[in-house]
């Protein structure tokens, strides 16, 4: 099979990657409000406080250390290994040097209503040299703060960096010294010795809060994450990956508002050195709905209520004003701007804030939303008068507008099209709404909805299918596919073993599979997406392939795809948006909710199919024994 992804950026642009930490070398910390990225070498290179969509105070991820970072590392390490403690986001990194061994622990504590990062280094054998550098730059690396020493409420020495409304407070057993607009320290730890540090965000006009008790908060945070994860019902062969993915989905959910961000980062490129760089720190209705389905399939119910409440608040008003994405708090304004002072990851520019796709029409979105809400209903979440009224208005608006072209799931910036995926997802929105009314006695204009559902189905079968190529196609009139067609199986537009579905799966693989199990979203040269360059295989689409094979009863095929994909996660179980098999590198924003939720759903479908196949085999064996 010929690999057709673009060459590694280090080949095309040898100067781009030398100073950049590989995307897969980052671990994530999270507290249910925001997240930090920490490299294998202990450099905290990305952190937005106090929320996912706040300005970054450490932005070296998209530039250099001069744009802000917090480095705490052991020098001269010959071996670095790391792991999360149990089912948590408390990170332990073990450094082995020629003279000793040390363990660094990083975490964002849960449940105290604050914004803190705690870090601890302990020498466990011999002696090690520790390097500490604290470089605060507010405004995504563009604002140098005023920094001073002061005492906190308990009399502890603290370093406080202030700029406008923001301040960061650094406290600990040993504070670094100011050197050329940054703070640095280097010291030796011997066996049994340790250093604890904590970072706290607080409004610049507020007093410094009390210092955290680091060991206690670490233990409590491990316990809190573990208690949540133990409710997972999955019992299949990919358990570790499923649990970590569910934890990532929960970590990307704001515990206050219920909004679910697509990723905690912006502008990690889909092509190194290119322009395919997007801000994913917002709540896509599609991604959030699919996240909810993944959680519900694994037994998590409370999240459904919180997300439905968020949805009601966010989309309240005229259904014609429905957006495809919102801010964490439901805010609607996400104007796309560029941060010209940042050079971008591996020279990939522009670095974007906001997202211009916010004003696009994408008819598929309501299909994902209504499918998730239907699953929640079937799981026991009762509709309220307001929640069902909102859904009715949204579906009625879709009935009026589904015939119009749109930008599709991939948010193309070229001309609108009649995307096949958008059409069958509009069918799904009506199908789930009709079933909700029929099965749960909810009031609805059923005759009008049924008529529209039948019209959409007939339209897709007439125009979304191509006799010329023998499969469904990307958009009406096209002669090529895209990977979103695989979702036809998930929503049940046709049975998974329908010959037309099987032919489409085969065609998608033939056109888009560039390495075993790895699919492109689409061929950039055949899709008017309004952008230059191409991109690497898209992990969510690749997991959709495993899902589709499982639903069609091809357990062996689904196993082969999952066995190829699951190991692509990094050493702490995280997945980015894409993966370049030629360079063996992650590409795009990380950790990516869509990748992780697609893994969970594919593993679930695989488990269901495996159990069904085992039951058939057992029945056949029983029949054979009886016959004998």
């Amino acid at each position: 099979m010929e690999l057709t992804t673009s060459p590694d950026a280090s080949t095309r642009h040898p100067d781009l990657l030398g100073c950049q930490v590989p995307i897969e070398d980052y671990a994530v910390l999270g507290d249910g409000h925001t997240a930090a990225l920490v490299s294998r070498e202990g450099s905290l290179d990305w952190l937005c406080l106090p929320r996912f969509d706040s300005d970054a105070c450490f932005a070296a991820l998209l530039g250099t250390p001069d744009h802000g970072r917090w480095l705490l590392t052991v020098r001269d390490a010959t071996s670095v290994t790391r792991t999360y403690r149990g089912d948590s986001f408390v990170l332990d990194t073990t450094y082995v040097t020629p003279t000793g061994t040390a363990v660094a622990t990083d975490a964002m504590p849960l449940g105290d209503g604050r914004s803190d990062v705690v870090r601890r280094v302990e020498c466990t054998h011999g002696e090690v040299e520790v390097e500490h550098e604290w470089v605060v730059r507010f405004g995504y690396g563009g604002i140098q703060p005023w920094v001073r020493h002061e005492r906190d409420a308990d009399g502890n020495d603290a370093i406080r960096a202030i700029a406008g409304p923001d301040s960061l407070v650094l406290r600990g057993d040993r504070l670094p010294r100011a050197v050329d607009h940054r703070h640095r320290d280097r010291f030796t730890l011997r066996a049994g010795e340790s250093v604890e540090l904590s970072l706290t965000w607080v409004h610049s006009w507020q007093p410094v809060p009390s210092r955290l008790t680091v060991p206690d908060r670490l233990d409590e945070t491990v316990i809190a994450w573990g208690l949540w994860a133990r409710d997972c019902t999955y019992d299949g062969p990919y358990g570790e990956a499923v649990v970590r993915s569910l934890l990532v989905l929960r970590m990307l959910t704001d515990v206050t508002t219920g909004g679910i961000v697509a990723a905690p980062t912006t502008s990690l490129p889909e092509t190194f050195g290119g322009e395919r760089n997007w801000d994913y720190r917002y709540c896509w209705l599609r991604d959030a709905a699919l996240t909810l389905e993944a959680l519900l399939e694994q037994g998590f119910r409370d999240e459904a209520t919180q997300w439905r409440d968020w949805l009601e608040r966010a989309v309240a008003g005229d259904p014609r004003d429905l957006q495809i994405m919102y801010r964490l708090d439901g805010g609607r304004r996400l104007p796309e701007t560029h941060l010209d002072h940042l050079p971008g990851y591996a020279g990939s520019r522009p670095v974007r804030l906001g997202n211009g796709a916010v004003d696009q029409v994408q008819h598929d979105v309501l299909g994902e939303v209504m499918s998730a809400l239907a699953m929640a209903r079937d799981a026991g979440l009762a509709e309220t008068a307001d929640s069902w009224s909102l859904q009715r208005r949204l579906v009625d608006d879709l009935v009026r507008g589904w015939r119009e072209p749109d930008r599709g799931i991939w948010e193309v910036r070229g001309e609108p099209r009649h995307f096949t995926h958008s059409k069958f997802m509009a069918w799904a929105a009506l199908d789930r709404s009709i079933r909700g009314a029929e099965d749960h006695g909810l009031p609805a204009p059923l005759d009008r909805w049924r008529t529209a559902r039948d019209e959409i189905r007939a339209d897709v079968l007439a125009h979304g299918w191509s006799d010329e190529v023998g499969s469904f196609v990307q958009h009406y009139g096209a002669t090529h596919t895209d990977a979103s067609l695989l979702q036809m199986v998930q929503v049940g537009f046709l049975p998974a073993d329908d010959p037309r579905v099987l032919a489409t799966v085969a065609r998608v693989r033939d056109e888009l599979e560039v390495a075993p199990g790895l699919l492109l979203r689409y061929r950039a040269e055949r899709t008017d997406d309004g952008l230059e360059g191409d991109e690497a295989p898209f992990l969510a689409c690749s997991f959709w392939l495993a899902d589709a094979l499982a639903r069609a009863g091809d357990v062996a095929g689904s196993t082969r795809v999952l066995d190829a994909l699951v190991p692509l996660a990094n050493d702490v179980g995280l997945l980015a948006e894409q993966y370049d098999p030629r360079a063996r590198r992650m590409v795009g924003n990380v950790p990516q909710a869509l990748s992780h939720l697609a893994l969970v759903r594919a593993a679930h479908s695989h488990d269901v199919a495996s159990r069904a196949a085992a039951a058939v085999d057992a029945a056949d064996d029983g029949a054979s024994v009886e016959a004998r």
Side-chain angles (χ1 to χ4, degrees):
M1 184 176 298
E2 182 181 359
L3 185 64
T4 56
T5 53
S6 58
D8 183 9
S10 61
T11 301
R12 294 183 293 110
H13 303 285
D15 59 326
L16 289 181
L17 299 179
C19 63
Q20 298 285 171
V21 175
I23 290 171
E24 60 271 17
D25 277 7
Y26 282 103
V28 67
L29 316 175
D31 64 359
H33 297 286
T34 189
L37 293 192
V38 183
S39 75
R40 185 185 300 274
E41 286 71 36
S43 185
L44 197 161
D45 288 344
W46 182 255
L47 178 59
C48 301
L49 287 171
R51 303 191 318 181
F52 289 104
D53 54 3
S54 299
D55 287 9
C57 54
F58 299 122
L61 178 71
L62 300 177
T64 71
D66 290 335
H67 295 106
R69 71 165 180 176
W70 186 12
L71 174 70
L72 185 66
T73 191
V74 175
R75 292 175 57 83
D76 301 322
T78 57
S79 171
V80 180
T81 58
R82 57 188 181 171
T83 184
Y84 288 120
R85 289 191 192 174
D87 295 327
S88 81
F89 288 100
V90 176
L91 180 70
D92 286 328
T93 304
T94 301
Y95 297 92
V96 178
T97 78
T99 60
T101 302
V103 177
T105 301
D106 300 314
M108 298 186 74
L110 297 179
D112 53 17
R114 297 168 40 152
S115 297
D116 296 287
V117 180
V118 297
R119 312 191 74 177
R120 185 176 189 271
V121 180
E122 180 182 5
C123 180
T124 58
H125 172 73
E127 65 179 36
V128 298
E129 187 175 13
V130 178
E131 183 174 357
H132 184 197
E133 182 178 66
W134 192 63
V135 185
V136 178
R137 298 291 185 267
F138 292 110
Y140 299 98
I143 301 173
Q144 185 172 297
W146 172 42
V147 184
R148 68 171 187 252
H149 276 267
E150 62 180 68
R151 297 282 177 178
D152 68 11
D154 302 315
N156 300 304
D157 188 24
I159 303 174
R160 189 169 190 178
I162 295 176
D166 298 301
S167 75
L168 286 180
V169 181
L170 179 66
R171 287 170 287 189
D173 299 332
R174 181 185 174 108
L175 295 180
R177 299 176 297 278
V179 181
D180 191 24
H181 302 295
R182 60 191 63 209
H183 286 72
R184 290 174 170 165
D185 194 12
R186 188 177 293 178
F187 54 92
T188 298
L189 289 178
R190 295 174 177 83
E193 296 178 342
S194 64
V195 167
E196 294 176 357
L197 297 160
S198 65
L199 178 75
T200 304
W201 177 90
V202 64
H203 283 298
S204 57
W205 57 85
Q206 293 178 324
V208 178
S210 298
R211 182 177 167 184
L212 293 177
T213 305
V214 172
D216 291 344
R217 296 303 296 123
L218 291 176
D219 291 343
E220 292 164 4
T221 298
V222 171
I223 291 170
W225 282 116
L227 288 174
W228 184 85
R230 73 177 184 180
D231 289 337
C232 174
T233 58
Y234 179 80
D235 189 29
Y238 305 101
E240 184 176 348
V242 166
V243 171
R244 178 53 56 188
S245 292
L246 289 167
L247 285 163
V248 168
L249 298 178
R250 183 55 181 165
M251 185 270 296
L252 295 176
T253 304
D254 185 275
V255 296
T256 301
T257 68
I260 305 171
V261 297
T265 55
T266 179
S267 299
L268 288 179
E270 297 174 3
T271 302
F272 296 129
E275 65 173 334
R276 295 172 180 266
N277 319 310
W278 313 110
D279 191 350
Y280 279 2
R281 298 170 303 140
Y282 306 111
C283 306
W284 270 256
L285 295 187
R286 175 192 304 109
D287 296 39
L290 292 170
T291 295
L292 185 61
E293 290 187 86
L295 291 168
L296 285 166
E297 283 180 338
Q298 299 308 321
F300 295 94
R301 305 288 190 268
D302 293 342
E303 290 72 18
T305 301
Q306 189 182 31
W307 183 77
R308 191 184 68 183
D309 291 345
W310 176 88
L311 179 70
E312 288 181 23
R313 297 191 303 270
V315 307
D318 191 330
R320 289 171 293 184
D321 295 332
L322 179 72
Q323 295 183 178
I324 65 165
M325 70 182 84
Y326 297 84
R327 301 187 72 91
L328 274 166
D329 59 4
R332 293 170 174 261
R333 290 185 56 80
L334 288 81
E336 186 172 306
T337 58
H338 298 167
L339 294 175
D340 294 332
H341 67 277
L342 286 171
Y345 182 92
S348 307
R349 303 187 71 183
V351 174
R352 303 179 198 263
L353 292 186
N355 199 303
V358 65
D359 296 321
Q360 288 186 357
V361 174
Q362 299 173 16
H363 291 312
D364 72 288
V365 169
L366 196 59
E368 281 97 3
V369 169
M370 297 306 296
S371 294
L373 292 175
M375 187 180 290
R377 275 195 302 271
D378 293 342
L381 178 63
E383 295 286 2
T384 67
D386 288 341
S387 67
W388 181 245
S389 175
L390 172 65
Q391 292 170 59
R392 279 189 57 175
R393 288 190 293 115
L394 292 173
V395 172
D396 284 340
D397 188 66
L398 180 67
V399 169
R400 288 188 290 269
W402 71 268
R403 293 184 182 275
E404 298 299 319
D406 72 337
R407 303 286 181 169
I409 184 175
W410 306 131
E411 302 179 352
V412 299
R413 299 192 175 198
E415 289 299 313
R417 300 277 191 177
H418 292 282
F419 288 101
T420 303
H421 174 265
S422 296
K423 302 300 187 187
F424 69 67
M425 290 306 299
W427 173 91
L430 280 154
D431 182 69
R432 300 311 188 267
S433 304
I434 292 166
R435 285 170 43 193
E438 292 173 341
D439 297 345
H440 297 273
L442 299 169
L446 284 175
D447 289 342
R448 178 153 51 90
W449 283 2
R450 289 177 182 134
T451 298
R453 180 180 63 177
D454 293 343
E455 289 176 348
I456 297 173
R457 180 183 176 84
D459 194 65
V460 172
L461 294 177
H463 304 293
W465 173 267
S466 169
D467 288 328
E468 178 182 350
V469 297
S471 77
F472 287 99
V473 289
Q474 183 186 54
H475 57 79
Y476 291 2
T479 57
H480 58 276
T481 64
D482 85 34
S484 67
L485 297 170
L486 297 172
Q487 287 201 298
M488 183 179 290
V489 179
Q490 293 182 357
V491 299
F493 181 79
L494 289 172
D497 58 355
D498 185 285
R500 291 164 292 184
V501 172
L502 296 178
T504 300
V505 172
R507 186 74 179 181
V508 165
R509 297 192 77 168
D510 183 59
E511 292 184 355
L512 303 178
E513 189 172 15
V514 297
L518 284 167
L519 300 183
L520 301 172
R521 291 189 293 179
Y522 50 78
R523 290 288 179 179
E525 68 273 15
R526 298 180 183 176
T527 301
D528 179 20
D529 62 10
L531 299 165
E532 295 295 328
D534 51 16
E535 60 184 31
F538 200 81
L539 287 173
C541 297
S542 305
F543 284 111
W544 292 347
L545 173 60
D547 189 294
L549 293 172
R551 291 173 188 259
D554 184 1
V555 176
S558 179
T559 300
R560 285 192 294 272
V561 173
L562 285 172
D563 285 350
L565 297 180
V566 171
L568 299 182
N570 72 358
D571 56 322
V572 290
L574 304 182
L575 292 168
E577 182 180 26
Q578 300 177 12
Y579 185 85
D580 186 340
R582 173 174 292 172
R584 297 184 180 180
R585 291 197 58 177
M586 290 188 182
V587 186
N589 287 300
V590 67
Q592 180 78 7
L594 193 59
S595 299
H596 283 282
L597 70 88
L599 182 156
V600 172
R601 300 207 70 191
H604 175 78
S605 295
H606 176 271
D607 189 48
V608 171
S610 297
R611 293 176 187 274
V616 170
D617 289 344
D620 290 344
D621 290 344
S624 298
V625 170
E626 185 176 347
R628 289 197 297 270

